[in-house]
Amino acid sequence: MELVMAIVIGVLTSCGVLLVLRAHTFAVVLGLTMLSYAVNLFIFASGGLTAGKGAVLGVTDIYADPLPQALVLTAIVIGFAMTAFLVILAIRARAELGNDHVDGHSGSRQQQESRF
Amino acid sequence: MNFINTLLPTPARSLLLFVVWLLLNNSVAPIHLIVAAVLAVLIPQLTAPFRDPQPPIRRWGLALRYIGRVLLDIVLANLQVIKLVLGPNKNLRPGFVLVPLAITEALPLTILAGTVSLTPGTVSAEILPYQLHENSAKPKFLLLHVLDLQNEAELIASIKQRYEQPLKEIFQC
Amino acid sequence: MQHAVIFPILVPLITGALLLLPPLQASVNKRRALGGLGLLLLLLSACYGLWQSAGGVQNFYLLGNWPAPFGIVLLQDKVSAIFVLLSTVLACCCWLYSLAGEDERGAYFQPLLQFLLMGIHGAFLTADLFNLFVFFEVLLISSYGLLLHGGGKGRTKAALHYVLLNLLGSALFLLALALLYAMLGSLNMQDMALRISSLAPQQVLIVKAAAGLLLLVFGLKAALLPLHFWLPAAYANASASVAAMFAVMTKVGVYCVMRVFGSLFGDNAAELAGFGRDLLWIAGLATMLLAAVGVVAAQHLKLLVAYLVLLSAGSLLATLALGHTGAVAAVLYYSLHSTLVAAALFLLADLIAAQRGTVQDRLVAGRPLQQAWPLGVLFVIAALAVVGMPPLSGFVAKIWLMQAATDLHSRIALWSVLLFCSLLVLIALTRAGSTLFWRVKAQAVTAQRADAVQFAAVFLLLLASPLLVLFGEPVMQFCVEAATQLQFLPNVRAVGGP
Amino acid sequence: MSTLLWIVVLPLLASIFVTAARQWQRSYLALAVAAFPALALLLLLPSAAAIFSGEVLRYQVQWLPLIGLNFSLHLDGLSFLFSLLILCIGLLVILYARYYLSAQDSMARFYAFLMLFMFAMLGVVLSGNLLQMWFFWELTSISSFLLISFWSQQGDARKGARMALTVTAAGGLALLAGIVLLGQITGSYELSVVLTQTEQLQQHAAYPVVLALVLLGAFTKSAQFPFHFWLPNAMAAPTPVSAYLHSATMVKAGIFLLARLYPLLSGTELWFLAVTLAGLTTLLVGAYFALFQHDLKGLLAYSTISHLGLITLLLGLDTDLAAVAAIFHVINHAIFKASLFMAAGIIDHETGSRDMRKINGLWKYMPVTATLAMVASASMAGVPLLNGFLSKEMFFTQTLHQGVLGSLSWLIPLLATVAAIFAVAYSARFIHDVFFNGEPIGLSKTPHEPPRYMRVPMEILVALCVLVGVFPQWFIGDLLSQAAVAVLGSAAPEYSLALWHGLNIPLLMSVLALAGGIVLYINRKHLFVFQAGFAEQPAIYRFENVLQRFVQRCRSLTAAIDNGRYQRFAGLMLVLVLWLCGAPLLELASLQGNRPALPLDMLVLAGAAILCIAAIATVLTIRQRLLSLVMISVVGLMVSLAFVRFSAPDLALTQLSVEVVTVVLLMLALYFLPHKSVKQSSPGHLVRDLALATGVGVVIGSLAFAMLTQQTDTISDYFLQNAKTGGGGTNVVNVILVDFRGFDTLGEITVLGIAALGIFKMLTGIPRFMSGADGEGRRWALDSHPLLLAVVSQALLPLALLVSVYIFFRGHNMPGGGFVAGLITAVAMILQYVAQGVDWVKPRLKVEYSTLISLGILCATITGLASWLFERPFLTSWFDYFDLPLVGTVELASAMAFDLGVYLTVVGSTLLILANLGKVTTRYRPVHKEQS
Amino acid sequence: MTWLEWIIALLVIAGTLFVLLGSVALIKLPDFYTRLHGPTKATTLGLGSLVLASMVFFNFIEQQLNLQQLLIALFLFISAPVTAYMLIKAGLHQKLAPTAGTQQQELMKQRDKLAKGE
Amino acid sequence: MLNQIVLIAMIGIGIALLLNLWALLRGPSVPDRLLALDTMYINSIALLLCYGIYAASSLHFEAALLIAMLGFVSTVAVCKFMLRGDIIE
Ligand code: NA
Ligand code: NA
């Protein structure tokens, strides 16, 4: 099971990274969302995997590590706030700069200068 | 009576909330009863502005019967759908049907459209004309998509008779 | 007054929240008054904190009354007290400056400034790594809002890059946190430091990866090469008092390197002791060089100052990499000096730009300044301070940084880079100054005269520089004590333990 | 000895005073300013007795002992001599400047800068601490910058000043490095200590470095070759400045430094060679180029360079007497050069030109000035009976007695003679070309004698030239000997100051120089033609060009690195991740740790497969944005299910509700963004990104695996044990959120609130930019608020609120809590917006969202503050159980109030964001014809 | 297995089959409009029987009062028709082609006129 | 025995989810895919219900309820987007 989890995290990270490196804000937003999935799973995984019944007292006698769960919750909320901000910022950039390129200029110029 | 009207402007809604709260808590303990009652009063008050006026349910018995009939229809008709879905696609006779409407009030109409969609074989596609603004013409047609359309007239009649008529009576509209 | 430790976080939080209430939304004056009151209280509590910490005790504040290391703990020591006071003083001046009208050039300036302070102070005070992340986010999101204050294409573009990179950084921070929690089983920095010495070899390597990530994250905040990308554009485009306020933001990164790496990878961290110093050293020096080149290359004053901020960040981290108490003390002093002076320069750049018509702060001939004499004097003072020329604080800071290098190699590298950069900055600033003040092209036009509060803000910021020299002895002594205290890790498990 | 302090500080006070008194009448102002250095002089002179008897006066205050910088003054023979020069010539210059400056010039500003400079210069020469000396050293650079650029409207003045500052400050930085290194070697910066460490220093491996750095400082300041070029360009300064800075003070600071550190640094081969060669070259270069200057001040500037070279050369010679000669020449040069600069100033002032090709025959117009200038020139040329002759004689003598260059040492006297010939020639030119040589050409005014008092300073100086020249021992004997003692660090050697030392080689050299100089001057035409062949761009242009090129280089470098490309830096950051995380992983023997693995099940495998495929599909469909949004929703759903599967119901709830809000948000965003994007990445780019993405994925995945298989002892047990007893809740995750780590949550909701504020900020005044049709070019449908949706959403609202309340209250003991409850409420409200629009919702909603945020944050904070009433730290929780009749046991907990804060903030923030965004999209909706 | 368990098993299996059926319909049926029928009905019904199974399980086997699951069914029965309605509206708006044998396709075009009340 | 049956049911639902994914990837139109996504939401509820029986735990009920409530909202939002471009007007 751990291996599957690790692979999922890896795949999500890869996809996220690939999207984060695109030139359009929308792709980058999705990439960051994907990365945050990966990160959340990663934090979650830091407590180890438990197939018990959560961290609710009295329901079970094997408890999952509650702390990483609490951390993930915080991370999810903060991630949401940040994503929301970024999305609106992307809109504003589109509106003000006339395109949705991450660097705020049109595609044709980008193609000539697309160097890493 | 007046007091009750201001306290519970929408009794059906309050009742629903009361029951749902108990369901949610799986309990009829006194504390939950109290809370359910409070919420059943409070929430409708709070959400009253967010509710367009709708005709009230006049005939509760009929309403319950209607629900039962719909549930039964869902189960029975689903069995027919099994055949259609599992059989070869060439046997399908899909089609669009325009059902002229007798009821025009929003809530009954919604229930009608919902019922049609839930019962297998038909899906409500459009309520025509659109209610774009307050002066729009009242709804006249329900456009349906039918999975296996054999007899259009029969289908229309059955919908009007099985669902539209009872709804008209329930809401007295 | 056991609660005084948390004042620097709560005062801006409450002020910021109150500023959002409808009565304050309606009136500019009420908003300003409340904002000012909040800052005043904050200043008092920062001073009190400094006074409290001067006693030499490390004050713990157990949030929720949970014993360490289980609950979140705030730690007030000399280092955090210094930085809290620094950012508060800075904020007061920026706030003062903004009163000339900048604060109303967009919504929510006052509350965002308060929340930014909350975030910064939280980062300075917390002893919990995850809590540090949370406060990072608080300060970042406030800074995003502030960066966009006033609107305009340049700001939007700069903010886009700033936000994107920082979001990546936050993700990395979380990865690092998770790894550290998984290996060390705790989030309290001091507790983690205790646990780090008893790691299995396999775990050490994983912690190393986490430490690398942390270094990246803090490097991003501190704008270390090649993670500095966001800084020049963001600072150069931000509106004046925001840019000035941002001068302390890179210091947050520096502070975290100091605090987190100092405690986690301190002397008792076995084979992880001193982790990252080599990297910081190289990257710090490279940052300095790049920044100095940027300073020379800058075609307008705000960008120039932005690169100056970068330069100071590089100097701080390179010096920090030397790793001994003396270096840390020098870093503390240099932080005080560079933050305030850079902030003053940002504000000055704005004042100058406002009086030069369409050319703004671009370094080309323009129309004469309306108030050339007072602005010129302030500019000269700020320039002297930033170049590190006597009689202002820059030279003391520079000498101290130089003295921090004691072995041959670090001397050669640090001194040559530091002095070379000083020279480049000098060249750039004399060019800039002579262009802005002396190369006059068009006829004088009556321009907006700078507001008295604006002058006051710049003056107050610059006043710090001579004061840091005149009263250098106690300040420096305090820095040394703070650095020494930083080296000495309190046993957090003994605090309110079960 | 606080008089020392006053001597230094008085000019600074003058500077401050004059700034305050800038409205005063010019003469009064000058007088008042002069009073300060005059007073300082009065304070200095009484110490002469002590100094001449060999005492050293000190004054020390602790200042910044941590870096070794103390305020420390040190008055010995050398500093006495220099202080005297600085104060006396300073006084003369103040007087002179009173008449020199025109009515347009701000006298106050001039005097302020001049006094500042005097302060700095006195500080340098009186410093008893090396760091403090550097402090004043740099101050001289700065104040001289201000003085040179006094006429800042002239481009030459600005450039000249910048050049002078750049060169001298660069030297200053080197000097600083030298001093710090010196301090670190000798363990102190105090002169009194440092000067005793000669042996220790000279045997230290870093001695050559120290020497090089210090010499760099000294040579740049004293305009030694090859750093001499700034001095001629500093002539753009007002002439009183030149008379002061470029004759007697600033340029002598370098010489002073060499003299000051003479006991410490000299005596080694390296010193002799470096200093001698620099001095000799400078001597020759200066003398040679002086002849070709047409600008009066240019001639004097090169002459100054040459004389500075001469003094440096003397300090480099390996005889004690050479050092004495050097000091002697410092005095003499100061006197005659200051007077010559003043002469040049008068000529400039009265003729309006400094071009020797234009000004001729002034003897007729200003005979007194001409006489004075001629005497001073003669002194410069080394004519007997004048002071210049004496020191030059000593110089010649010493060139004959040294062995610095080994077998080539004979070159030095030879070249010295050559330089002397040139010196005579340019002095002759100064006299002949200006005061004789026909009539003036094209002058703007008719020259005449200057105002009476403008000539006084010159008269005094020229008188000194003669007096010293005739009665050297009487006038400066003691001064010189005590200065020499200070330089040599021991008793001065035997020497005699006399006009006549008999017929000897030096005298022969003098005669040769005088005769040769006259001959050379007479035949100068040939030399001028020869020199014209090498016509070069003036130094100032070359310097500016170099600087300009350098700036351009910097620009292209900066542009190449900080190219404004997000992708590059994001990529770099990820490469760093790969490196920093990958490197330790490579060392890892095995990823597998000690924790027992969970058994695999098919369902999880299926879920993982769906998740991965959906993630990849998101990437593949990224250019059809709506589609990739749909794909990523699947990922989100699967992540939530994973949380359920692995015992994290709270996470699942949160993830699910956040997911919906995010989707709604992204939909709103899509309205503004293009629905499809053009391909922008080249294949190479893509391959590289793919490789990077794979690499990072593998590294993070491996780390995850390594982490998952490691068993660690964590602090979590404490939470499990204390959640119920200490936190009053059975849902440990929730208790952590609202209690153990409630502070995190407070920060988290603050983040959410701030994000909403920031978003509101961004949305106000956003320019219009939106599409009138979808990606395929279809116009939008008519039905803005479908009936069915409207009715159902109205019906769902109370139900959703009820569920919110339920989730809210159970959160403490079961999965749920304020955050999820808040999102459910928010989503239900959003559904109202979606179904019926802003215009419908807005009037029905009485509360401002920002107020909700504020109340939420305040509610949580005040809950935390309440614990202060019970003398507990912030956020200390409280809970209790109450037995109520009929109702049963009820738990009340402060955590609920805290959670209420969370709830309010979440609702407020989410709605503030979405409702405002919705408003914006509608405002810019193009109106369809059919609809109107 | 007790008879109660048999009932649960039966309900679970029926539910699963309907769920599967809905998903198979999604794959198999020829056009968007016909595919829509599968999930909106079969799946809803399948879910209904699973809810029932769950309720029986918790109330009678686990012996705890548990009627919450009803709410899931309630929500579903309220929302499924709206989802279907919105989806088909979107499909019609995008003029997705119905399968060849579809009767009265002209109604799709008439819709625009009827919508405006003409 | 019951557990075995529920497990098999869960695998059946898992297969249904995979089928949904196939439909989602195949499309061809966006409404088609959206339909697949919506079905996925509903099937997830089914899965959670079965899992509840399997684990004899009602802890997952809220998650199912939330999917029922919220999955609907996001599907509707996407539909609204396709219809009007603007989901909140
Ligand atoms: Na002439
Ligand atoms: Na809208």
Side-chain angles (χ1 to χ4, degrees), chain A residues 1-2 14 20-22 37 50 52 54-55 57 65 69 73 77 87 92 94 100-101 103 105 107 113-114 116, chain D residues 565-567 598-599 625 647 654 659 669 672 674 680-681 685-686 688-689 693 716 730 732 737 762 769 819:
Chain A
M1 209 75 107
E2 278 75 8
S14 285
V20 158
L21 292 174
R22 300 300 90 208
Y37 289 141
T50 320
L57 299 175
D65 188 344
Q69 293 193 19
L73 278 177
V77 179
V87 167
R92 184 158 186 115
R94 166 84 207 273
D100 66 337
H101 192 279
D103 297 329
H105 43 63
E113 301 177 17
S114 168
F116 188 35
Chain D
R565 300 235 168 274
Y566 154 79
Q567 282 164 294
L598 281 182
R625 293 175 170 183
S647 324
T654 312
E659 193 66 33
F672 275 99
Q680 292 211 325
S681 305
H685 198 145
L686 202 63
R688 193 192 54 215
D689 289 353
S716 291
T730 53
V732 187
L737 277 181
M762 278 191 279
F769 200 102
F819 184 77

Side-chain angles (χ1 to χ4, degrees), chain D residues 356-360 433-434 437:
Chain D
M356 283 187 278
R357 288 165 297 192
K358 288 186 188 168
I359 40 179
N360 298 312
D433 207 352
V434 173
N437 199 20

Side-chain angles (χ1 to χ4, degrees), chain D residues 382-405:
Chain D
V383 173
L385 289 181
L386 296 169
N387 59 348
F389 169 76
L390 295 178
S391 45
K392 198 165 263 187
E393 281 273 300
M394 282 175 86
F395 164 60
F396 287 147
T397 312
Q398 293 315 311
T399 57
L400 294 168
H401 290 110
Q402 47 75 35
V404 175
L405 300 184

Side-chain angles (χ1 to χ4, degrees), chain D residues 676-855:
Chain D
K676 283 191 172 171
S677 68
V678 284
K679 188 178 175 194
Q680 292 211 325
S681 305
S682 60
H685 198 145
L686 202 63
V687 167
R688 193 192 54 215
D689 289 353
L690 252 173
L692 185 55
T694 315
V696 174
V698 167
V699 165
I700 299 297
S702 314
L703 276 175
F705 184 74
M707 184 176 77
L708 275 165
T709 54
Q710 288 283 335
Q711 185 89 48
T712 320
D713 173 35
T714 73
I715 54 174
S716 291
D717 285 341
Y718 180 84
F719 301 126
L720 292 168
Q721 280 154 22
N722 290 277
K724 180 72 180 160
T725 51
T730 53
N731 181 5
V732 187
V733 176
N734 187 271
V735 177
I736 292 177
L737 277 181
V738 296
D739 201 337
F740 292 112
R741 300 186 67 88
F743 201 50
D744 276 347
T745 309
L746 184 60
E748 160 203 319
I749 59 173
T750 313
V751 169
L752 195 58
I754 304 168
L757 301 186
I759 287 170
F760 178 85
K761 235 170 128 63
M762 278 191 279
L763 288 175
T764 43
I766 195 166
R768 90 190 268 148
F769 200 102
M770 57 96 29
S771 44
D774 69 8
E776 270 75 47
R778 285 183 291 257
R779 311 194 79 170
W780 301 117
L782 280 183
D783 201 2
S784 51
H785 304 117
L787 183 74
L788 221 59
L789 184 59
V791 173
V792 169
S793 68
Q794 288 178 18
L796 276 178
L797 182 63
L799 274 178
L801 284 185
L802 193 77
V803 173
S804 300
V805 175
Y806 167 71
I807 295 273
F808 178 86
F809 278 113
R810 80 194 294 273
H812 212 42
N813 291 310
M814 286 285 167
F819 184 77
V820 178
L823 277 183
I824 293 174
T825 307
V827 169
M829 280 307 297
I830 290 164
L831 186 60
Q832 307 307 309
Y833 278 106
V834 172
Q836 336 200 52
V838 177
D839 291 341
W840 190 86
V841 178
K842 192 73 191 151
R844 290 170 163 77
L845 197 74
K846 299 290 182 292
V847 61
E848 286 275 342
Y849 295 132
S850 61
T851 312
L852 276 187
I853 297 176
S854 167
L855 290 177

Side-chain angles (χ1 to χ4, degrees), chain A residues 26-103:
Chain A
F26 184 79
V28 179
V29 169
L30 285 200
L32 285 167
T33 312
M34 195 89 89
L35 264 186
S36 72
Y37 289 141
V39 168
N40 290 343
L41 285 176
F42 194 92
I43 305 174
F44 181 59
S46 73
L49 296 184
T50 320
K53 291 165 189 175
V56 177
L57 299 175
V59 178
T60 170
D61 34 57
I62 316 163
Y63 298 110
D65 188 344
L67 187 56
Q69 293 193 19
L71 302 187
V72 175
L73 278 177
T74 305
I76 290 177
V77 179
I78 288 177
F80 165 64
M82 293 293 168
T83 310
F85 192 92
L86 177 60
V87 167
I88 310 298
L89 181 57
I91 293 176
R92 184 158 186 115
R94 166 84 207 273
E96 277 188 336
L97 309 171
N99 60 76
D100 66 337
H101 192 279
V102 276
D103 297 329

Side-chain angles (χ1 to χ4, degrees), chain D residues 301-386:
Chain D
Y302 276 101
S303 142
T304 300
I305 291 171
S306 169
H307 282 273
L308 290 169
L310 188 154
I311 300 169
T312 308
L313 172 59
L314 277 170
L315 286 171
L317 297 182
D318 54 357
T319 64
D320 283 356
L321 274 173
V324 180
I327 302 299
F328 191 27
H329 199 67
V330 164
I331 305 169
N332 293 334
H333 175 253
I335 294 171
F336 67 68
K337 192 52 67 63
S339 60
L340 281 172
F341 269 118
M342 287 177 181
I346 289 172
I347 293 165
D348 182 13
H349 199 253
E350 302 308 331
T351 63
S353 172
R354 295 187 334 218
D355 190 338
M356 283 187 278
R357 288 165 297 192
K358 288 186 188 168
I359 40 179
N360 298 312
L362 291 189
W363 172 257
K364 265 185 286 180
Y365 302 96
M366 38 174 78
V368 181
T369 309
T371 313
L372 293 171
M374 282 154 69
V375 175
S377 305
S379 175
M380 174 163 77
V383 173
L385 289 181
L386 296 169

